[in-house]
Amino acid sequence: MAEHKAEGDGGQLPAEIKSWSTEHVRKWTLELKNIDEEYANIMYQQKINGESLFLLEKSDLMEAGIPLGPAKLIIHKRDELVKLKVDMVNDPGVQTGGPCKPYPFNRFHEAYRYRVNSCLDIPESGALDLIEPCHEFKAFINTANATKDEKLKKFTDEVKFFAAACMNSRTNGTIHFGVGDRPDFNHGQILGFSVEDKESFGKALHDMIEGHFEYKHVEAAKKCIKPPRFVEVLQPDMTSSENYVIEVDIEPAFSVCEENFYHVYGVDKRKSRRSKGKDPKEDAKEAKSFYIRDNSSTRDLLLPNSQFKPLEEYNRYRKNIEKLSQQRKEAEEKRLAVVRNSVQGSKLCEMITGGSHSLDKSSFERYILVANKSHPVQLDSLSFLQDMNLTAVLDFDPESSEKGLKKFFEERNTNVHSPAQYRITEPVEDIASKLKLTRITSWIFCNGVINKEEPSDISSWSTEKGASVRDVVSFLCRGEVLPPRRFLVIFLLLSDVTDSKDPLLEIFNTFRQELRGLDQILCICENSRSFISWKQLIEARYGDNISHRCISELSFAEINGTVLSLWSNNRRSSRFLTCGGGSKVLLTKKMEGCLDTLDILCVNQCEGGNDDKLSIQENFYKGGKVSWWNFYFSEEPGSTPFIKRDKFDYIIDTIIPDLCSLTRPCVLFNIMHLPGCGGTTLAMHILWTQKEKFRCVVLKDRTADPVDVAKQVVQLLTYGTTEQATRLPVLLMVDDFEERDAVYSLQQSIEKACPRTSAAASSPQVVILNCMRTEFWDQHDTSSNPVFIGNELSEQEQKLFQKKLEEIEKTYKNADTFYGFMILKKNFSPEYIKGVAKNTLKSFNINHKEAQLIAVMVLLNSYCKNAPLSVTLCEAFLGLPTKERSEFCKVQDGFGKFSTLVTRCSVQDKVVFEAVKIIHPSMAEHCLEELTTNHSISKAEITNLLLTTDKFYDCLQGKDKLLQDVRAMLVRRYHTTEAEDTKFSPLVQAIIKDTPGSEETVLYNAAKRFEKDAIVSQLLARYHYLKKRDFREAKDWARKAKDLDRHSSYIADTSAQVIKHELRNAIESNRDDPIKPDQLRDYLNMASSASEAFKDTQAIAKKEVALKSQNRKDYSPYNCSGRQGEIQVAVMVVEILEKIPVFSSLDKVRRAILSQVLSGQLTIQAIAQNDHMKHKHTSYYHVLLNFEPFLKNIKDNMKKQFDFLDSFFINLQPFFSQKDVREERTRKELLKSFHKYVDLFCKTDPHELMPNKIIPTLFKLRQLLEMHKADTHFGILEYLSRNGSDPLEAIVQQYAYLYTYKHAHLRDVVNYIYASVVLACVWPQSKYILPYPELLQILRHVLSCQVPHTDSLAVHFIASVILWPENNPFFPYDLSAKLGTYLSQLRSTFSNEMQSMEHGKKPAVHFYLGKKPGYTRLVSHGHLSKFWSPEHFDNGQIWREDRVRRNLQMVQGVVQKNCILASTCNPNVKVEVIPQYLTHLKGKEQKLVSFYIGFTMKGLVAFDIKEIPWHGSEGASHHY
């Protein structure tokens, strides 16, 4: 009997070599290649056992009679065996893994791999049921020194023996190469080996069949013996080892083998026949063998056997072959009778959609995917994953990026993350926002890869990486990240999980614990083998039966098709962008995913239709936000067109074409609308109709970084285009921005990102449609575009709404509840809205949950823009999650009779979530009014309910948004020019008005809810000093606010305001006249403290503005309140002092004395000495002396602050031209204070104290200049924006007097120049204008003097204005040659004096360079702004006006890096000009351009920059 085992696999060899007997050594020697049996017998005869084998030397063997060659080979093989044994003991990497299943029989494209050192959980066996394969293992590892042919011969010999045995035994079988067995390895241990040429094994197998089977059976053998299968072997950490197990399946089907039996030849019969000198038939006959499977061995029945007579067993077996063949046939028929009967397709549809059987309407908003190592054959069947709304993928395959699932997802946009990024180190929603967790699929590698982290094997993964991945699971399951019960976790088992330490089991358990059960978990296994292993491991570890949450009877191809069928035709269709001229480009899913801040409107949007037309339309008519579907449905046959608002044609036919004629890369226009009046719908209607002419897009996330948005807009602009000249512009709609500054900042960012080449410079590349809600509208506001949508329909619009209503009533029986539509149809009739509110709320009972919730919602939607509540919050508050099958309950239904008042919406916040809001702002306001008037539920009561009910804040999703909205409702004030309107927020003011006194409880509740919020503490302080006049309490709250935020100038200002108002209150409450000394002491002490507090505010404001400049989203300018407060305190000090006998305002002399004291010209002691009533005023003088250091600086401090603020407001303007109400109010208050300053310091004269009452002309003249703010250059420049020449002519005359009579200081001379220039601009006919040649001479004199630093800005600005070269015989060309120097000094001075205050503002343009000579070539900005709105300047439309083009001079220059080197009419004078926006120079470097010039305190500014043809030196020499 002969058994065939690979080397090292001998069945009787013990594991320990030292324990081998002489027979064991003989067997081992016999199995060595190229060692004859006689040498094995020699070793046996020499009594060589295991211990002596270790001691053998080559010489020992040669002495025993073994030749040199075999002796060296035996010693070498002995050493190799010893080394292998040592390595297995010392190397932990060869420790066996868990059990694993063999590769599926007779399959070649399964997603299956082995892991090194895992063990096949099957025995080597003989025939079982003939269908279940028997197995044989061959280590096939001792082949390092073998040639390729030797390896292939060993392979084919083993296959030949095994295959013939299986065919004769009629049993299926698999022989495994690269799988070890005892004693050297564990039974079935996966080893693997390197395979360099896979094809050679297949060819060798084919040749073996041709040469070793009888000719008549060759074809049958080819059918039974399957091609070799190469199964990849992975490392313990699931990375590739580059090794394989080779398997050959044998399938002796009855239809192939019938009743035949199979002999094989020991040598290739083809070669044998070609041998000379031998009888081929005789040789072949001698080499025949007949193999069968005998238990776990293969046996040749033609070899002699001691148990049977020769050929006896062989003949008996042949006679039995007919019976064996029949058994095979029956076994095959029995297997075929098992018919597959599965309903798992329906089960998959049910589970993956939450019962809706449509992924478009899935009950799950989001999905999380957990996957292990994939196989290439699986990937084509996983395309269903790419369209799912995957929030995160937890990928346990370290090679996923190279050849796994991540590689497959290359066509989709994903963010790659490491588990460490989910560690909670800051607010959860902030982390989610940074990771873009609900906007882009997060791909989380859970086993290394990121930052070159090494993967871990199964045994060490839990300790090395388990904690961080568990943190990921906990993070994803938090309520503020994903909505509870509305996301599904899918475990996709791409590889079998067979080890109890597998990471997937641990993560499964973590999800199971976080989700408190299995209802949100779906497991997908490709086959029963994978499922059974997974199921058994989970049952063993956690005791859960997961059968009902598993799909295991469908192939991945079937799963793929099933899931894809759950999408609508529209979702499955491709999307296209327009390229102009009817051409289109495919918008790939990956590109669309990259543009995550944008909602892209494609030219084939809504293609394929939607089965939910009725519900989509109904939602819109009830008050939901318009969607693209609504426009699509209106274009279907039989539908009336979408209602076209009156402004629609004006925007399409006039505004957009006008904007597209400009050269600015990004232009902007505004649609201002009252809330709920259809402004957003109009804007989206415009996009829908323009989608063939523009690439239309809506900004989804207004909180996104404008730089990121700009990059994405430009990506959309350039996508799929090569020639810039053919690009269509992007029409970008932005909606619901609260500040226009944010929109203008986005415009700037887009311009910086836009490609600027000559082809793209001729027209805008991006048009921004800014749709913005406003609570108030000033019809005379020239700072805004003329597009305004109010709450009154025209007759034409009313007719269109009536026609649409008739269509609606034909389709819907409940059209009377379509309140969103009916409010507009009824022309916003208050009576209609009031009637609906009254009827809907008639059963209102504040004790019911739905009533409390609706009350809170109408309050929020009345006093806070866009203030929805998350669906999760509403469900928790109403108790909906406790209801059976709650996932199918609409949250609106939970509101009961109030459900018609609410609608669903999606909120784009730090995380995206579903929410509920009131259908219309007007409905919210009238419902609130109904509750307060007819149900006795006050606003204070509802607000307290909102603030004190923890249930509203227990729900984590949308909590941050709710807190922001509640806070805004309490603290946000609307700034108007009337200070009275801005004391408190509209809600607080309404509570004060409706239920006086209850506001205090509301505010204290707010302080408890927002305990760590400095602004809320500030609100309490303001309430106590403004309303309660409780200044002690106000100081406590102000102190608390300052402790919470020490870096806010606005918080610091509150502390100062408390003291100021305390002082004001004390003065107003004091009816004593005159004020008593002790009262004077208290008042001055408060005034001094307030003044110091305001100085502290100024210091903080200066630091604050430096920090703001680093924040792209903070557009607020320098806080002037500290400076204004110091002035107001000084005014109060004057009022106080005027009420004491020493400085009585009724006595002109004493008033003059007061002026001198506060100017530091007179001391208190000097006044006391000359006071004839000194004995009566002693106590006053005593108090005054204590405060003399404070008092003597009052005038200087007031003047300093007035000058600073005037310079700030006149020389700087809002960065984006718009009306600043707060600034207007501040300037209005300053003017009042200035009038009081003038009354004391400009209308009294110290010479009143002299016996001679003659008032010197010089002093009086300077007082008059100061009174008219003409003592500073910026005060004079302010007259450019005033109407009329008075008092400018008088000012010029006064400066002329000073100059003529040699009384003028340098500043006076400079102001004389300013006054003359401004008068010439404002009133060119005036006879008092200084002749231009004389003005030039005076300027020459000024520039020849030493200019003090305090006058540098004024001197160098007016020099830059006047010295621009011109062709004029009187023009000082020698001075103009220094124009570049003067401009450099101007910029330097501006940087030192004003740049720190520039944040949120820009230098104001005072003049533009005109065409005419002399004074007339200066065109003031104030003059142009009388005729054109600020938007004309911002968008560049002003430069298209003929009147402007006729008057302004076009200048040429060459573009440098960040400026233009402008040419002048003097070839030797070239000056640097800064562009209005740096982006206007993009793509024009070293190009010749033309532009207009504006003069600012920071230097020259270029406007309307246009590239012009370059003609070398000829072009450059064309000067102006």
Side-chain angles (χ1 to χ4, degrees), residues 1227-1420:
R1227 298 187 73 174
K1228 184 177 178 182
E1229 290 295 315
L1230 282 174
L1231 189 59
K1232 291 180 183 178
S1233 299
F1234 185 71
H1235 287 157
K1236 294 181 179 178
Y1237 172 89
V1238 167
D1239 286 343
L1240 180 62
F1241 299 111
C1242 300
K1243 293 184 179 179
T1244 58
D1245 186 35
H1247 297 85
E1248 293 280 357
L1249 307 176
M1250 302 177 184
N1252 184 353
K1253 299 296 183 182
I1254 300 173
I1255 302 176
T1257 302
L1258 188 61
F1259 183 84
K1260 191 65 179 176
L1261 186 149
R1262 291 194 181 279
Q1263 278 192 327
L1264 289 171
L1265 291 173
E1266 187 175 7
M1267 183 189 308
H1268 293 299
K1269 291 193 174 182
D1271 58 332
T1272 61
H1273 70 281
F1274 42 82
I1276 297 170
L1277 287 172
E1278 190 176 15
Y1279 283 94
L1280 289 170
S1281 56
R1282 294 185 185 180
N1283 293 322
S1285 59
D1286 273 346
L1288 260 178
E1289 287 185 328
I1291 292 170
V1292 172
Q1293 292 178 65
Q1294 288 159 8
Y1295 276 119
Y1297 176 85
L1298 289 173
Y1299 183 73
T1300 303
Y1301 291 98
K1302 310 298 183 183
H1303 298 301
H1305 305 302
L1306 180 65
R1307 179 173 296 183
D1308 296 327
V1309 178
V1310 173
N1311 288 344
Y1312 184 23
I1313 297 173
Y1314 273 89
S1316 299
V1317 170
V1318 171
L1319 179 60
C1321 288
V1322 173
W1323 193 248
Q1325 300 88 356
S1326 175
K1327 63 181 180 180
Y1328 297 106
I1329 298 173
L1330 181 67
Y1332 194 64
E1334 291 185 31
L1335 179 126
L1336 294 175
Q1337 289 303 316
I1338 294 174
L1339 178 61
R1340 177 185 292 277
H1341 167 69
V1342 168
L1343 293 174
S1344 67
C1345 297
Q1346 189 73 30
V1347 179
H1349 177 74
T1350 52
D1351 295 322
S1352 178
L1353 193 69
V1355 170
H1356 294 111
F1357 172 72
I1358 201 65
S1360 70
V1361 170
I1362 295 174
L1363 294 179
W1364 183 272
E1366 63 172 308
N1367 292 315
N1368 187 319
F1370 304 104
F1371 193 79
Y1373 288 103
D1374 56 330
L1375 290 181
S1376 71
K1378 299 179 182 178
L1379 179 59
T1381 302
Y1382 300 142
L1383 284 168
S1384 176
Q1385 290 175 296
L1386 176 66
R1387 287 190 291 267
S1388 176
T1389 307
F1390 178 89
S1391 177
N1392 292 331
E1393 291 186 16
M1394 303 197 70
Q1395 194 157 20
S1396 60
M1397 310 303 160
E1398 196 181 358
H1399 179 72
K1401 288 181 170 284
K1402 63 182 177 183
V1405 177
H1406 295 299
F1407 303 101
Y1408 297 97
L1409 183 66
K1411 291 182 177 179
K1412 298 178 182 179
Y1415 286 118
T1416 54
R1417 72 169 178 162
L1418 296 178
V1419 179
S1420 76

Side-chain angles (χ1 to χ4, degrees), residues 313-367:
E313 186 180 12
Y314 168 74
N315 293 328
R316 188 166 63 247
Y317 199 92
R318 286 188 59 177
K319 289 179 182 179
N320 194 46
I321 202 74
E322 181 179 348
K323 181 180 177 182
L324 191 60
S325 297
Q326 188 61 34
Q327 290 175 347
R328 172 72 193 196
K329 181 180 179 182
E330 291 172 358
E332 289 178 4
E333 290 172 348
K334 184 178 179 181
R335 176 61 61 94
L336 289 173
V338 180
V339 179
R340 179 179 173 190
N341 183 19
S342 173
V343 294
Q344 288 213 325
S346 298
K347 181 181 177 182
L348 174 62
C349 295
E350 176 81 13
M351 289 199 294
I352 206 165
T353 65
S356 69
H357 288 260
S358 168
L359 283 171
D360 296 76
K361 299 179 288 185
S362 175
S363 298
F364 299 113
E365 296 174 17
R366 299 189 170 275
Y367 295 86

Side-chain angles (χ1 to χ4, degrees), residues 42-54:
I42 291 174
M43 294 185 68
Y44 181 76
Q45 294 165 2
Q46 295 294 325
K47 308 294 183 182
I48 305 297
N49 60 14
E51 289 191 11
S52 56
L53 181 63
F54 272 109

Side-chain angles (χ1 to χ4, degrees), residues 79 158 183 188 262 281 356 451 456 707 731 840 866 944 1022 1057 1112 1173 1229 1317 1388 1483:
D79 293 342
E158 296 293 352
Y262 302 94
K281 291 183 179 180
S356 69
N451 299 325
S456 301
V707 174
L731 181 56
T840 307
N866 190 28
N944 284 325
R1022 297 186 72 258
Q1057 293 289 348
R1112 284 195 294 260
M1173 299 182 68
E1229 290 295 315
V1317 170
S1388 176

Side-chain angles (χ1 to χ4, degrees), residues 927-968:
C927 285
L928 186 58
E929 185 181 347
E930 174 68 17
L931 294 179
T932 57
T933 54
N934 294 327
H935 294 271
S936 301
I937 307 297
S938 68
K939 296 181 180 73
E941 186 177 350
I942 300 172
T943 308
N944 284 325
L945 173 69
L946 176 57
L947 288 169
T948 59
T949 305
D950 291 336
K951 193 83 171 176
F952 288 118
Y953 309 96
D954 289 342
C955 173
L956 296 176
Q957 186 160 64
K959 178 180 176 180
D960 274 9
K961 179 73 169 66
L962 175 61
L963 287 169
Q964 291 169 15
D965 292 339
V966 173
R967 179 181 181 273

Side-chain angles (χ1 to χ4, degrees), residues 646-662 667-672 682 686 690 694 731 764 766-770 784-789 1431-1432 1435 1437:
D646 287 350
K647 297 286 187 180
F648 179 88
D649 288 335
Y650 172 65
I651 294 171
I652 296 292
D653 299 335
T654 304
I655 290 185
I656 293 180
D658 283 351
L659 291 172
C660 289
S661 69
L662 305 176
V667 292
L668 164 73
F669 74 99
N670 301 307
I671 295 180
M672 307 300 294
L682 170 62
I686 290 167
Q690 297 296 294
F694 294 85
L731 181 56
V766 180
V767 178
I768 298 178
L769 192 168
N770 176 33
S784 298
N785 285 75
V787 180
F788 172 71
I789 309 299
E1431 272 72 15
H1432 278 78
N1435 275 334
Q1437 290 169 296

Side-chain angles (χ1 to χ4, degrees), residues 1104-1137:
E1104 182 182 55
V1105 78
L1107 294 174
K1108 285 179 181 178
S1109 62
Q1110 301 171 16
N1111 184 355
R1112 284 195 294 260
K1113 294 185 179 181
D1114 189 342
Y1115 314 104
S1116 56
Y1118 172 77
N1119 181 12
C1120 299
S1121 60
R1123 295 180 181 274
Q1124 183 186 10
E1126 189 175 353
I1127 291 172
Q1128 291 171 333
V1129 169
V1131 170
M1132 283 192 278
V1133 169
V1134 173
E1135 293 175 2
I1136 293 166
L1137 296 178

Side-chain angles (χ1 to χ4, degrees), residues 134 136 158-166 173-175 250 293 298:
C134 60
E136 186 159 317
E158 296 293 352
V159 173
K160 176 180 67 177
F161 303 144
F162 181 77
C166 288
T174 302
I175 183 169
I250 316 298
R293 287 296 290 176
T298 295

